[in-house]
Amino acid sequence: MRFAYRFSGLLGTVYRRGNLSFTRDGNSLLSPVGNRVSLFDLKNNKCETLPLATRLNIVCVGLSPDGSLAILIDEEGAALLVSLIGKCVIHQFYFHKPVHSVRFSPDGKKFVVTKDNLAYLYHAPGKKREFNAFVLDKTYYGPYDETTCIDWTDDSKCFAVGSKDMSTWVFGAERWENLIYYSLGGHKDVIVACFFEENSLDLYTISQDAALCVWQCDTELDGLKPMPPKEAAKEKKAAEDDEELLEEPKGEEIHGKADPSEQETRNKVKYSRVAKYFFNKEGDFNNLTAAAYHKKTHLLVTGFASGIFHLHELPDFNLIHSLSISDQRIASISINCTGDWIAFGCSGLGQLLVWEWQSESYVLKQQGHFNSMVSLAYSPDGQYIVTGGEDGKVKVWNTSSSFCFVTFTEHNSGVTAVTFTSSGYVVLSASLDGTVRAFDLHRYRNFRTFTSPRPSQFSCLAVDSSGEIVAAGSQDSFEIFIWSMQSGRLLDVLAGHEGPISCLSFNPMKCVLASASWDKTVKLWDMLDSWRTKETLIMNSDVLVVAFRPDGKELAVAALNGQITFWDHENAVQTGSIEGRHDLQMGRKELDKITAKQAAKGKSFTTLCYSADGQSILAGGLSKFVCIYNVKEQILMKKFEISCNYSLDAMEEYLDRRKMTEFGSMALIDEGGGGEEGVAIPLPGVKRGDMSYRHFKPEIRVTCVRFCPTGRSWAATTTEGLLLYSLDSGLIFDPFELDIDVTPSNIHKTLNQKEYTRAIVMAFKLNEKKLIQEVIEAVPSSEVHVVCSSLPDLYVEKLLEFLASSFETSCHLEFYLIWAQKLLMLHGPKLKTRSVKLLPVIQFLQKSIQRHFEDVSKLCEWNIYNIKYALAISQQRGMKRPAEETPGDEEELDSDSDYLMQEDHKDTLSS
């Protein structure tokens, strides 16, 4: 098995903090998620997480006007310059202090960064290679307190900066004779946003106390006069002389004054306040937290701490509508280029919403688990993932689009375990509220609720391969409850353990249940033999998790002492063990009194999962690493670092001595408790979710790992969210039985001679995907049957795997379906003898065909509906009805294609 897995996506979290940004075309949205960035394609309904990460959580994102570059800045002021085309990091830069906002100029030549009470103007990275991508041009002084927001004029001549000192400053990006700086007051609270009017110096300023000031300028943009060259050169020379004296270059410095003298303001630009409006006229006062303005449509969107947003038309301040989208603070607002879609980010619950205001409908409505995720499970075809969280929600995610399409909220307490039945259309979840619930993915409803005779908190869950027997383990009564899925009745209660049940697992091939407990035993129960204990395996330590190999012949057990042991459960013999405690590589928490090395002695793996072929096992626990072991050799094959986000606790092995004082760690000091977000008053003694500390760093941990049944990917639920790792097949040259005569030119020569079978075998030996695709698509459809029948058995499996991956990208649907059908029909009996080994490949093929089947079915139904609608309209209008045969032929054609898909799907399933 290859271990070329790479990070491919982040699900379960859609927004954390920072500003949202629409791309240039207005169809995609950039959302900061912790220390990563997700790109939501709203037109194609897909989400992609960029394969790069900052060291700490991202607080602001600057997007270039052409949409090719983005600047990502984290909590400490470390910046990454990112290419959104190549999806890679171009340059790294450190601003030395936390940055509040960053904004590119509309012409893309410069960008402004604000930190502390200063604004820095940089030259934007050009199209050519440069030694330093960030060149400082000017430093602007003026505000007395921290800066909060930036806005540019349309021609990039000037920009405005808002501040916490209730003032707004207008600065010239160039040296203008009649505008160097201008200070605007008029507010009684922190400035949240400032916006220039289209092609004008007129300005709108909005403060946190929900007040809007309209400022009119006596000069147009064309009226700005450049400074005479002699004076500009003199000032530039003075700035360069100052730079030589300073350690850190500051560029040209511009010092603004809040109350300039009369002589300084003579013949300069002047502003006058023409109106002041208030948002909360009815007295429903709450803080205004975010705002966005669309200059072409004059649309102002404002968000409040209560989750309400207003739409106003400026400059007359006409209310278009007001709506509540959440009960949490709206942290960020963005409007796309056409002004149709408005994006809202709520950091409290991790919500991301895109609202089409004209039709008053949602384009996107996503929310992750606002508490940590605890468990996950793949559907049998690998198309969906179900997750359960401490917030009591069960969510189902589509792996191809990365979107959550259904959320079940019936549980009243944290969900501890989730699983799919073998059909793939029923999801089961166990919870601490004392219920096990079954959800139907056809009608999206809770159709069964399983309960115990006396209230019990369920900690684990398992369902047998037939989907008929449901088992759940209790952590307070030490019993296992067995229910019938068909009737919903309690069949039996299995007693015998002397400690809380930590994990349950059914044998995939037999009706045998393995139960792990803190009483240092694993019990095997035969479900068909009056629920009696078949075997008891004695361990050296408390057992935390058990897992059966996909063929059911081996059992893996992880215990509290950090060991993973492997058992032949038929004979109750231990076949091997792995000492994995040192592989966990624990980090030291900020408030820990002991070192990470000492703390690791009490740590262990809390989740296990076999790979689809059973040759490897994944293991994770209270650490930032996920380990993958070879079962036969019992050695560590690879360690995956799931996060490099130092905003999480327990990431570093050694504490930074710079953070230690004579009184203890600086983490104990409660910084910024009374900030703009306010302090949530927690319940005394609460240790999860709403912490008793004002400043709380979540600890990095892996709560559950699962391999996809197709073997192409694996997933882990972590503190950061649901992480997906997929096989990276594009970057690896991996030939198979290669010899000296197998070259691309020889393959093309063989293909021209119409020796198709030999050409396919040679292409698979070279194992270049594009070449294999070229050879297979060159085979005429009439020759497919002959080629399939003469193909050696060794290459049938490889061809099936290639077909499954090609279905995801190729438009030649019918052609590849013919290949799949012929291969399965001609080689079906031989493939069946190796069904266990080939199961991941067949499931991968089934997943690809099923997705196309659903898409084509919808398209056919839509076409039939359109034809019927067109006929009905033509009859109503008295138009001459077209020939009788045409609609019938159309319907027949659609139904034939639908039938072909169904038949091929049935063939695949039966094989």
Side-chain angles (χ1 to χ4, degrees), residues 205-272:
T205 57
I206 301 163
S207 62
Q208 195 170 294
D209 61 354
L212 166 72
C213 287
V214 183
W215 303 90
Q216 194 172 34
C217 185
D218 63 352
T219 310
E220 292 298 316
L221 282 169
D222 298 335
L224 292 174
K225 301 170 191 172
M227 189 171 276
K230 284 183 182 178
E231 285 186 40
K234 195 189 293 182
E235 292 190 7
K236 191 174 182 183
K237 190 174 185 305
E240 285 172 0
D241 291 342
D242 288 346
E243 267 187 42
E244 288 175 12
L245 301 171
L246 295 166
E247 290 181 15
E248 187 185 346
K250 292 191 175 182
E252 187 182 343
E253 292 187 13
I254 294 170
H255 293 265
K257 295 178 185 175
D259 50 346
S261 63
E262 219 175 284
Q263 190 180 349
E264 287 176 316
T265 57
R266 195 177 296 144
N267 301 325
K268 295 283 196 294
V269 166
K270 286 185 176 63
Y271 276 92
S272 58

Side-chain angles (χ1 to χ4, degrees), residues 96-151:
H96 298 286
K97 284 184 180 177
V99 171
H100 305 298
S101 48
V102 57
R103 191 79 176 265
F104 274 89
S105 61
D107 62 5
K109 291 181 180 177
K110 296 187 177 179
F111 68 89
V112 173
V113 168
T114 63
K115 60 179 182 179
D116 287 343
N117 60 336
L118 305 179
Y120 296 87
L121 182 68
Y122 285 86
H123 291 288
K127 305 293 180 189
K128 61 183 186 295
R129 289 186 180 181
E130 295 164 317
F131 178 70
N132 183 12
F134 290 7
V135 179
L136 182 62
D137 184 25
K138 294 181 181 72
T139 303
Y140 296 87
Y141 296 80
Y144 294 107
D145 205 344
E146 290 182 356
T147 47
T148 55
C149 55
I150 308 167
D151 194 50

Side-chain angles (χ1 to χ4, degrees), residues 212 277-279 281 300 312-319:
L212 166 72
Y277 301 106
F278 295 92
F279 290 87
K281 289 177 183 174
L300 176 70
H312 286 89
E313 189 182 12
L314 295 182
D316 299 326
F317 201 66
N318 297 325
L319 182 67

Side-chain angles (χ1 to χ4, degrees), residues 11 16-17 77 79 119 173 184 239 275 327 449 483 819 823 875 880 887:
L11 284 71
R16 281 274 171 83
R17 62 181 291 196
L184 302 168
D327 57 355
T449 302
W483 296 275
W819 272 100
L823 276 174
Q875 286 169 0
K880 189 176 180 182

Side-chain angles (χ1 to χ4, degrees), residues 83 86 152 252 301 377 465 492 501 554-555 566 630:
S83 166
W152 283 86
E252 187 182 343
V301 187
S465 54
D492 204 351
I501 313 296
E554 188 176 76
L555 183 72
F566 301 98
N630 184 298

Side-chain angles (χ1 to χ4, degrees), residues 302-606:
T302 47
F304 293 83
S306 61
I308 293 170
F309 75 90
H310 296 323
L311 263 68
H312 286 89
E313 189 182 12
L314 295 182
D316 299 326
F317 201 66
N318 297 325
L319 182 67
I320 298 169
H321 71 227
S322 174
L323 269 162
S324 175
I325 54 163
S326 174
D327 57 355
Q328 293 285 321
R329 172 181 179 271
I330 295 174
S332 178
I333 300 176
S334 182
I335 308 175
N336 75 339
C337 56
T338 59
D340 297 328
W341 293 347
I342 305 165
F344 299 95
C346 302
S347 54
L349 295 177
Q351 289 174 305
L352 181 64
L353 311 161
V354 179
W355 174 261
E356 189 170 19
W357 66 274
Q358 288 168 323
S359 63
E360 297 191 13
S361 59
Y362 285 111
V363 177
L364 173 76
K365 189 179 182 182
Q366 290 286 302
Q367 179 183 337
H369 292 275
F370 59 84
N371 269 355
S372 56
M373 274 187 260
V374 174
S375 59
L376 82 118
Y378 269 99
S379 62
D381 60 0
Q383 205 165 346
Y384 305 118
I385 293 177
V386 61
T387 57
E390 289 180 351
D391 56 0
K393 291 180 180 175
V394 175
K395 289 177 174 284
V396 187
W397 307 80
N398 189 318
T399 53
S400 54
S401 71
S402 299
F403 281 131
C404 170
F405 62 91
V406 62
T407 302
F408 300 109
T409 57
E410 280 79 3
H411 284 295
N412 300 321
S413 188
V415 176
T416 53
V418 288
T419 187
F420 273 94
T421 58
S422 54
S423 67
Y425 295 112
V426 175
V427 169
L428 287 152
S429 63
S431 170
L432 296 174
D433 64 2
T435 62
V436 173
R437 295 178 184 269
F439 302 99
D440 179 7
L441 290 187
H442 282 303
R443 297 177 183 83
Y444 301 138
R445 64 191 179 95
N446 174 206
F447 71 93
R448 284 270 187 280
T449 302
F450 307 102
T451 56
S452 55
R454 53 187 174 276
S456 295
Q457 291 188 313
F458 296 121
S459 57
C460 49
L461 176 71
V463 62
D464 76 326
S465 54
S466 67
E468 289 301 314
I469 298 173
V470 179
S474 166
Q475 65 179 24
D476 45 12
S477 65
F478 313 158
E479 294 169 327
I480 302 164
F481 298 89
I482 310 292
W483 296 275
S484 163
M485 175 70 85
Q486 202 72 37
S487 64
R489 286 176 54 222
L490 181 68
L491 299 177
D492 204 351
V493 179
L494 306 181
H497 280 295
E498 296 170 6
I501 313 296
S502 55
C503 187
L504 296 175
S505 180
F506 268 103
N507 189 323
M509 298 302 166
K510 296 178 182 178
C511 210
V512 173
L513 175 71
S515 63
S517 171
W518 293 6
D519 63 2
K520 303 182 182 180
T521 63
V522 173
K523 291 183 184 290
L524 298 167
W525 311 81
D526 192 343
M527 295 286 106
L528 304 177
D529 186 20
S530 307
W531 328 108
R532 287 179 188 161
T533 310
K534 190 180 175 187
E535 198 71 62
T536 301
L537 309 177
I538 308 296
M539 304 291 159
N540 296 327
S541 185
D542 297 7
V543 185
L544 301 179
V545 60
V546 289
F548 275 102
R549 203 165 68 186
D551 63 2
K553 292 179 180 176
E554 188 176 76
L555 183 72
V557 180
L560 195 62
N561 59 4
Q563 275 193 341
I564 302 172
T565 52
F566 301 98
W567 295 78
D568 174 4
H569 60 90
E570 291 288 338
N571 303 313
V573 175
Q574 183 177 332
T575 56
S577 70
I578 294 170
E579 188 64 53
R581 183 186 293 147
H582 300 297
D583 299 328
L584 264 173
Q585 207 169 326
M586 294 290 302
R588 184 173 177 179
K589 290 192 277 187
E590 284 184 338
L591 303 178
D592 275 356
K593 299 287 187 287
I594 58 172
T595 62
K597 194 174 181 181
Q598 289 294 324
K601 291 180 179 177
K603 302 300 179 184
S604 54
F605 293 113
T606 55

Side-chain angles (χ1 to χ4, degrees), residues 28 63 158 166 174 253 359 379 511 564 572 657 765 775 901:
S28 298
L63 197 61
C158 303
M166 301 175 280
E174 301 294 336
E253 292 187 13
S359 63
S379 62
C511 210
I564 302 172
R657 292 196 177 274
K765 282 184 176 182
V775 170
M901 289 294 291

